[in-house]
Amino acid sequence: MRYCINCCIHLLPNDLHRQCFRCRGPNHSNQKCPLCKGENKVASYRDSKQMKLLAVLEVRTDHSESWNGLFCLKKGKLCSLIFGLIIMTLVMASYVLTGAKHGLLLIPSPFHYGAFTSNPSLMDNESLSDMKDHYQPSKINVSYVKDYPSIKLIIDTITSKIEFITRQRPDLEELRKQEPHMFSVIPNKFLSNSKNPCWYEEYRGNTTTDPYTTNSYALYSKRFRTIFDYLRKVFWNHLYHYKDKHYRLRCLPHFYIIGQPKCGTTDLYDRLRLHPDVRFSAIKEPHWWTRKRFGIIRLRDGFHDRYPVEDYLDLFDLAAHQIQGVLQSEAAKENSKMNSIIIGEASASTMWDNNAWIFFYDNSTNGEPPFLIQDFIHAFQPNAKLIIMLRDPVERLYSDYLYFASANKSAEDFHEKVAESLQLFENCMLDYSLRACVYNNTLNNAMPVRLQVGLYVVYLLDWLTVFDKDQILVLRLEDHASNVKYTMHMVFQFLDLGPLSEKQEALITKSPASNTRRPEDRSLGPMLPTTKAILRDFYRPFNTKLAQVLFDDAFLWKRT
């Protein structure tokens, strides 16, 4: 049985269906056709029964028609398949060519940075995030570099490029040109009867003036406001009056705990502040030398107004008040007694974080910073004492990852981040010096984990270009954890602190450890053995050099 698809009239075999106007061809007359005129419409029946709707859509052909249709269908599918394969081939070719060009494929190639800029005026119109995007390197697929041999090749390339070259120390006049305000505030000479670099500064405000109204630490952080509220209340009681003028005592720290992060600096700070002769800044980690004086609060938030040096000095007002009380006592005046109170500051970024230099300082040489933090500290405090706490850089990096990673933390994720960071570091080393890569803001922000923080000897050698070796005490967290009493005695001796009573010493040495690993991080377990082996290989040449500089093989960390 066949039906006409146009008008649904039942056809007999070989019937030409001449009643249908669509089947009669071009001689058809619309005026005579009842279907076109809308007259005499009759429903079509099959076997005296009304056709069903499905029958309307069914078109039955003879066998020759079926084979022809099938052949056409096969030709269509074949053409579509060939066309799809051509498109897929073009897409894959495009991916391969583009990936090789932009570093997406795992082929050792130079890491293409934007040009190292040293123009601070760029920051007038660009935020830090904009600058980061400007220098952003290509993202690298590390899914195929999990095996040890592949990453070992990257480490071998890095090792072959390592050179410990002594940096050129800038002269004092160059430093003055870079920070004229700082040099106008801090004097050249300090009070002779104080261990700390202290001096009197004329205060020109009146009794209604709030001396901390513009302090950036108080403005940007709610948790510091309580401290500044107290300072406001006692401020006028500690002014020194002389010849109808008011003076306030200003002080800088006698010693700095300068690093490193996740190496026990918090525990050392908490124990040291229990000593009766030690005072610290009003907040633990001001980060002024490395970040706040450049206007960095959080790197992800970009730049804010720069914190002036006066804001930093305000943090030592509590200690200055106590020192002033001793200096003005009658006993001190009669005996010319040296004030025993010493001030400390503990920012774990001081040793290593010079990321902001590229936005503020000119005269870069081959991508290396012309000025470092220690240059300015030494300019004002050539006799400052520095304490460094270090730990096995492999374990430090994993602890750092667990502390700062926000989501999806795992040993596997850590492994991938290490692999990606190593390849980024290798790419930089192919084009630049070790120092240029270590202090490269773009690279440091791009690496998923902070590999560079564990390159202790690079930073230490740069600090030794301006400070004498006997001004720096380097400790190991592993020794501190196993024998707190011994390491604290080393610190007391280094700072020339007086003897303690048995009760005072017990309070300091037997207190519980501070800032230990969080329970949720502890449950993740250790890093993968392969990851540890990779990191051991990476840090080995740096640890070897560190042990040579300090004449102590314990800094090889062979048994940890």
Side-chain angles (χ1 to χ4, degrees):
M1 298 292 180
R2 294 188 299 150
Y3 298 87
C4 174
I5 192 66
N6 295 315
C7 60
C8 309
I9 295 179
H10 173 212
L11 300 179
L12 294 174
N14 302 321
D15 189 357
L16 296 178
H17 180 37
R18 299 188 182 280
Q19 287 85 356
C20 176
F21 77 96
R22 293 183 181 87
C23 302
R24 295 183 57 187
N27 296 324
H28 171 70
S29 174
N30 289 341
Q31 297 299 326
K32 296 180 180 180
C33 178
L35 291 175
C36 298
K37 293 170 62 177
E39 299 175 355
N40 302 323
K41 293 183 181 179
V42 181
S44 299
Y45 289 86
R46 179 176 181 266
D47 296 333
S48 303
K49 294 181 181 179
Q50 189 173 6
M51 285 178 53
K52 295 181 180 179
L53 179 61
L54 290 177
V56 174
L57 301 177
E58 184 182 2
V59 180
R60 298 186 181 179
T61 63
D62 55 25
H63 294 291
S64 61
E65 291 172 332
S66 299
W67 280 109
N68 290 336
L70 181 61
F71 178 72
C72 293
L73 180 63
K74 287 185 176 180
K75 285 178 63 178
K77 284 187 176 180
L78 183 61
C79 292
S80 299
L81 180 61
I82 294 173
F83 181 73
L85 289 173
I86 292 173
I87 294 299
M88 186 180 298
T89 303
L90 292 174
V91 170
M92 290 300 295
S94 175
Y95 169 76
V96 171
L97 294 174
T98 306
K101 180 179 178 180
H102 293 287
L104 292 169
L105 301 179
L106 293 173
I107 301 172
S109 59
F111 183 74
H112 299 290
Y113 296 93
F116 280 96
T117 182
S118 57
N119 185 0
S121 65
L122 285 174
M123 295 313 301
D124 294 339
N125 299 314
E126 295 186 69
S127 68
L128 183 62
S129 59
D130 294 332
M131 295 300 295
K132 182 178 176 181
D133 291 339
H134 179 72
Y135 293 109
Q136 186 67 39
S138 303
K139 297 197 178 207
I140 296 175
N141 186 341
V142 297
S143 59
Y144 300 104
V145 291
K146 289 186 178 180
D147 59 302
Y148 176 81
S150 298
I151 305 178
K152 185 65 168 64
L153 293 175
I154 295 174
I155 295 173
D156 290 343
T157 302
I158 294 172
T159 302
S160 68
K161 297 289 184 179
I162 294 174
E163 287 185 283
F164 299 102
I165 302 174
T166 304
R167 67 182 287 261
Q168 186 68 34
R169 177 177 165 182
D171 60 43
L172 187 60
E173 287 306 313
E174 290 179 300
L175 298 175
R176 289 181 184 276
K177 290 177 182 177
Q178 298 299 325
E179 299 288 352
H181 178 70
M182 196 190 311
F183 280 90
S184 69
V185 173
I186 302 176
N188 296 325
K189 295 183 179 180
F190 306 110
L191 298 177
S192 59
N193 54 348
S194 174
K195 289 184 177 181
N196 306 277
C198 296
W199 68 97
Y200 280 105
E201 175 187 277
E202 183 179 354
Y203 179 71
R204 294 182 172 84
N206 53 45
T207 55
T208 61
T209 304
D210 179 1
Y212 305 106
T213 187
T214 60
N215 187 286
S216 300
Y217 285 99
L219 293 174
Y220 287 113
S221 181
K222 293 181 180 179
R223 63 193 179 99
F224 299 147
R225 290 176 187 173
T226 302
I227 297 172
F228 284 99
D229 285 343
Y230 173 77
L231 287 172
R232 289 184 184 96
K233 293 178 182 178
V234 301
F235 179 80
W236 279 92
N237 298 332
H238 294 281
L239 287 179
Y240 176 63
H241 305 281
Y242 180 74
K243 292 184 178 180
D244 298 327
K245 291 184 179 181
H246 301 293
Y247 297 88
R248 65 190 295 188
L249 187 67
R250 289 292 209 178
C251 294
L252 282 168
H254 172 67
F255 71 95
Y256 295 86
I257 300 175
I258 64 174
Q260 288 287 64
K262 311 312 297 175
C263 290
T265 56
T266 297
D267 187 74
L268 180 61
Y269 162 83
D270 285 338
R271 295 182 192 280
L272 258 180
R273 66 178 182 158
L274 296 175
H275 195 287
D277 290 337
V278 176
R279 302 292 184 273
F280 276 95
S281 54
I283 59 179
K284 175 184 176 281
E285 293 190 282
H287 296 295
W288 185 78
W289 289 102
T290 55
R291 299 171 187 171
K292 300 299 191 295
R293 71 187 179 101
F294 298 110
I296 300 173
I297 299 176
R298 296 180 185 87
L299 285 174
R300 63 177 180 269
D301 296 336
F303 285 96
H304 296 260
D305 292 336
R306 299 179 69 175
Y307 288 30
V309 65
E310 291 88 345
D311 291 359
Y312 180 60
L313 296 174
D314 287 347
L315 301 180
F316 304 104
D317 276 2
L318 282 174
H321 293 166
Q322 297 182 39
I323 292 172
Q324 183 180 350
V326 175
L327 293 177
Q328 293 180 350
S329 65
E330 291 299 321
K333 291 179 180 179
E334 292 174 3
N335 302 324
S336 298
K337 181 181 178 181
M338 175 70 72
N339 178 27
S340 62
I341 294 177
I342 61 172
I343 302 174
E345 197 255 75
S347 295
S349 64
T350 306
M351 179 177 180
W352 64 275
D353 190 353
N354 281 274
N355 286 333
W357 73 267
I358 196 170
F359 303 111
F360 293 91
Y361 297 142
D362 295 325
N363 304 322
S364 168
T365 303
N366 298 323
E368 296 185 11
F371 310 103
L372 297 176
I373 302 304
Q374 51 266 40
D375 298 329
F376 294 96
I377 294 178
H378 183 268
F380 301 113
Q381 301 174 251
N383 299 318
K385 294 194 173 186
L386 311 167
I387 300 176
I388 303 170
M389 182 83 86
L390 305 177
R391 73 188 287 190
D392 181 354
V394 176
E395 297 298 335
R396 193 219 70 81
L397 186 65
Y398 190 49
S399 178
D400 199 60
Y401 163 79
L402 293 177
Y403 185 81
F404 288 105
S406 57
N408 302 321
K409 289 186 284 189
S410 68
E412 293 76 16
D413 180 66
F414 176 66
H415 180 92
E416 291 192 0
K417 285 179 167 55
V418 167
E420 182 177 353
S421 299
L422 284 170
Q423 190 166 20
L424 288 168
F425 197 83
E426 178 210 20
N427 289 334
C428 181
M429 290 287 288
L430 291 173
D431 291 332
Y432 299 100
S433 68
L434 175 61
R435 183 177 291 108
C437 293
V438 167
Y439 293 121
N440 188 318
N441 173 71
T442 305
L443 175 63
N444 293 341
N445 288 336
M447 287 193 295
V449 290
R450 302 193 295 183
L451 283 175
Q452 80 282 6
V453 178
L455 306 180
Y456 307 139
V457 70
V458 179
Y459 305 111
L460 180 60
L461 289 172
D462 283 347
W463 280 83
L464 287 172
T465 60
V466 291
F467 287 97
D468 293 336
K469 198 170 183 179
D470 59 3
Q471 292 179 258
I472 304 176
L473 175 65
V474 184
L475 305 170
R476 293 195 331 145
L477 175 60
E478 293 82 1
D479 299 330
H480 180 66
S482 63
N483 193 338
V484 173
K485 186 174 181 179
Y486 175 74
T487 55
M488 294 310 298
H489 278 183
M490 289 181 64
V491 174
F492 297 157
Q493 184 178 1
F494 176 70
L495 296 176
D496 297 321
L497 292 170
L500 296 172
S501 67
E502 190 174 323
K503 184 177 180 180
Q504 289 173 325
E505 185 175 295
L507 177 65
I508 293 173
T509 59
K510 295 182 180 180
S511 300
S514 301
N515 202 21
T516 56
R517 185 171 294 179
R518 295 171 294 204
E520 61 269 25
D521 293 339
R522 208 176 295 124
S523 65
L524 293 175
M527 72 183 82
L528 299 176
T530 303
T531 315
K532 180 173 285 191
I534 289 168
L535 290 172
R536 288 246 180 272
D537 289 341
F538 171 68
Y539 285 117
R540 183 175 293 112
F542 300 99
N543 293 343
T544 300
K545 182 66 174 180
L546 179 65
Q548 292 172 357
V549 172
L550 298 175
F551 300 102
D552 189 347
D553 286 345
F555 289 94
L556 294 171
W557 283 286
K558 286 185 176 180
R559 297 182 181 180
T560 57

